[in-house]
Amino acid sequence: MTPAPSASSSSPEKSPKNSARRYVILGLVVVLVLVGWSAFWVFSRNKTQALVDKVLNRQVGGQALVTCEDQSLGGYPFRLLLTCSSYKAHDPKSGWQISGGPLRAIWQVYSPNLALLEGDNMLKLNHPPSGLETTIKASLIRASIRLEPNLALSRLSIEAQDMELASNLRPLGQQVPPVTAKNLEVHARPNPQNADDLDLALTAAELDTGLIPRLDGSLTATALKGLSPTILQSRQPQKVWLDQSGKLEALSGVVIIGQKTLKVNGGLAFNPQGYASGKLALKILNPKPDAAKGKMTLSAGADGLNGPLTALQLLGKPTTDGELVGSEVPITIQDGQLRAGLLPLGRIPPLQ
């Protein structure tokens, strides 16, 4: 009787041809993925280039609104990178002009309407109608922008590192000292509940204005009707906003200045002349005694307002805020005049 073949002898061994076929199929899949991704990148690049060309080709009175010298668009395979040796832009409606360079604009291939802009050295802002001139020097200036299909700017974020800002502030009739900051961020976007309202946010680290001690802080607010179509289409958007609304709501800020922490909440309304009125709740807070034991060293650069702020605390009601203690002082602003109770604190210049 012939013995049955063993299991090992009955299972066919893997053929070299089968193994080679699998590698060939795998290689074809990789090639197809690379070709598909390359085609998608080229499509995205062409779409982005068309958007860039559309922006650069816009003119008013025969003058280009935006220029980009030595333009180059690349970045394959995972991003789109636009470079300019220098750039210039102006808004004929408001009169604002901006220039600087070099500039790097980075798009993700899956979102060609969202760009990250980076620039070095210097950025200049000027407004010939009012005479305002501002120069910003920084180790890095970064901005994030989102464009709508009609080229309207729907979101804007700006960050400057190791910044020095110099401005003549001619609308206020005076020259101000240079402003420096380790980091400064400005964010603007439509309000999620009402697209006509503009949400604003400002954050600063080691901000030194030369007028008050160095501080860290943040401020948020909503400008009612700040993005209404009438304002966006106006040649004087700020004046139209003052006439139509002029209101800042949900105003909230935190400032750390020396050993004092200031927290403010409230709202402001500006009259057509730009003077503010409103009521604010100001908390002037200190670390609890146990927490402050190791931080008793004072300096004029950081604690120069310690005395006046301590005196101002006496006008408020005692309050606590987490690990901080102090007082809450009601602040009243009437046509730019700032008061704590009956005590005048100065005047806020008009918004121009």
Side-chain angles (χ1 to χ4, degrees), residues 28 36 39 55 61 94 118 131 141 166 171 184 222 230 233 285 296 330:
L28 289 174
V55 172
S94 64
E118 292 183 348
I141 301 174
L184 182 70
T222 297
T230 306
Q233 297 168 7
L285 306 165
M296 296 304 294

Side-chain angles (χ1 to χ4, degrees), residues 6-55:
S6 63
S8 58
S9 60
S10 63
S11 59
E13 294 184 0
K14 294 182 180 180
S15 169
K17 292 184 179 180
N18 292 337
S19 299
R21 186 181 298 114
R22 280 195 294 270
Y23 286 118
V24 170
I25 294 174
L26 179 60
L28 289 174
V29 170
V30 172
V31 170
L32 289 175
V33 169
L34 291 177
V35 170
W37 179 260
S38 298
F40 176 66
W41 184 89
V42 171
F43 170 80
S44 298
R45 181 194 181 280
N46 292 340
K47 188 175 180 180
T48 301
Q49 185 67 63
L51 177 63
V52 171
D53 292 341
K54 190 176 181 180
V55 172

Side-chain angles (χ1 to χ4, degrees), residues 201-219:
L202 172 68
T203 302
E206 298 184 22
L207 178 66
D208 190 348
T209 65
L211 302 174
I212 60 175
R214 185 174 58 253
L215 59 86
D216 299 327
S218 63
L219 179 69

Side-chain angles (χ1 to χ4, degrees), residues 147-201:
L147 296 173
E148 298 296 337
N150 63 353
L151 300 183
L153 188 63
S154 63
R155 290 192 181 189
L156 172 65
S157 295
I158 301 175
E159 177 187 6
Q161 298 177 5
D162 303 314
M163 181 208 74
E164 179 180 321
L165 182 149
S167 177
N168 58 4
L169 283 185
R170 289 181 184 171
L172 302 182
Q174 60 182 341
Q175 184 81 23
V176 299
V179 176
T180 63
K182 184 68 176 177
N183 192 77
L184 182 70
E185 297 181 25
V186 179
H187 306 276
R189 67 166 190 174
N191 182 276
Q193 281 72 46
N194 188 342
D196 283 352
D197 297 341
L198 175 64
D199 285 348
L200 300 168

Side-chain angles (χ1 to χ4, degrees), residues 60 65 89-98 127 129 232 234-235 237:
V60 172
L65 300 184
H90 79 277
D91 181 5
K93 291 183 180 179
S94 64
W96 280 103
Q97 299 178 2
I98 181 174
H127 190 247
L232 296 178
S234 172
R235 291 183 177 272

